[in-house]
Amino acid sequence: MIKQEKLAISGKANRMELLRKFAGGILGLLLPFAIACQVALAADLTGLPLGNVIEARSNAATTLFLWDATPYVTSLVHDRNVGNAGLHALEAAAVRSLASHARSSRAKAVTLRVLYQKTGAVSPVYGNPTFAGVEVVLSIHADRKTLQKNAVAWETALAQGTVPKGLLLQVLGKLPPQSP
């Protein structure tokens, strides 16, 4: 009786091991897609714009955040929302993102630099667009406490093309041209 139980457990363990290996192979193929979907879903659920924001530097005076807005810029181009309207949408989204991330900062002021990855010609070997560098589009700087109080109003004003008092906005680059 004990031998049969060990064999049954052993057989079950082998099946579980085979299943684990099979699932690991499938997971390895689908993991990049799953992570991208999870990040996009998380951004949609929190109300934050798509893309990654990192804290690049922080001291008592200021905290610098960098936002890789590539997915957001891609959606703007896809929706044919480029030019001034696209830039105003990006500015409003940047204020929303900065206000959200500024909560974790203890610095007096916060800065967000918005950038995206530019693409070049399609590679004949791989069939994908090539990397053509990084474009820093804009920089937003504000007092942290003032930003927390006025974030919603500032977001609305920027979406309408007006730079509110208390917010320093520098346009340093441009959005990609509209694709045909």
Side-chain angles (χ1 to χ4, degrees), residues 36-51 71-72 75 96:
C37 289
Q38 189 176 25
V39 168
L41 182 60
D44 286 342
L45 292 177
T46 61
L48 293 177
L50 298 173
Y72 189 79
S75 70
R96 184 177 345 124

Side-chain angles (χ1 to χ4, degrees), residues 97-177:
S97 182
L98 181 59
S100 173
H101 289 89
R103 290 185 200 128
S104 66
S105 173
R106 295 183 182 200
K108 182 173 168 44
V110 289
T111 301
L112 178 70
R113 285 197 192 129
V114 180
L115 50 101
Y116 69 91
Q117 300 169 25
K118 297 190 299 185
T119 56
V122 174
S123 166
V125 176
Y126 300 108
N128 291 326
T130 57
F131 177 71
V134 173
E135 177 85 13
V136 179
V137 183
L138 55 96
S139 177
I140 294 180
H141 181 84
D143 177 75
R144 183 178 55 85
K145 290 181 181 178
T146 307
L147 172 67
Q148 293 298 323
K149 273 195 285 185
N150 300 317
V152 175
W154 286 0
E155 182 181 349
T156 305
L158 285 169
Q160 296 170 352
T162 306
V163 179
K165 185 178 178 186
L167 182 71
L168 176 61
L169 171 70
Q170 296 176 303
V171 177
L172 306 168
K174 57 185 179 178
L175 290 175

Side-chain angles (χ1 to χ4, degrees), residues 32-64:
F33 178 72
I35 290 172
C37 289
Q38 189 176 25
V39 168
L41 182 60
D44 286 342
L45 292 177
T46 61
L48 293 177
L50 298 173
N52 296 318
V53 176
I54 61 166
E55 183 177 309
R57 181 180 60 221
S58 183
N59 56 39
T62 187
T63 299
L64 171 65

